[in-house]
Amino acid sequence: MATVYLSQKLVNELSKDIEKLFYKYGHLSFKERDEEEQLSYSIEYLIKKHINEGEKSEE
């Protein structure tokens, strides 16, 4: 886990970049499916706003 400081603009950009990576590797997986042995993996990511003391949650 890493704590990073980002503007909302950068959070949106990061989310889009991660989505592009999922599509890229899904496509590469499809292309290699008959050439290489593939195993099932679960990939998770979470972008969660860190709440500092004294801040109210937006939930």
Side-chain angles (χ1 to χ4, degrees):
M1 180 168 85
T3 299
V4 294
Y5 291 83
L6 302 170
S7 65
Q8 188 60 49
K9 177 183 172 185
L10 290 178
V11 170
N12 294 341
E13 187 176 324
L14 177 59
S15 290
K16 289 177 184 177
D17 288 346
I18 291 171
E19 185 178 324
K20 288 177 188 176
L21 280 175
F22 280 125
Y23 284 119
K24 173 186 174 180
Y25 282 91
H27 178 73
L28 291 172
S29 171
F30 183 77
K31 284 174 54 175
E32 79 163 11
R33 71 189 183 285
D34 296 327
E35 300 168 8
E36 299 284 338
E37 178 184 6
Q38 295 183 339
L39 302 173
S40 177
Y41 292 90
S42 175
I43 301 172
E44 300 176 29
Y45 80 97
L46 171 67
I47 299 174
K48 180 179 177 183
K49 183 178 179 189
H50 186 267
I51 304 297
N52 295 320
E53 271 187 53
E55 288 185 13
K56 292 184 178 180
S57 174
E58 296 178 5
E59 295 177 14

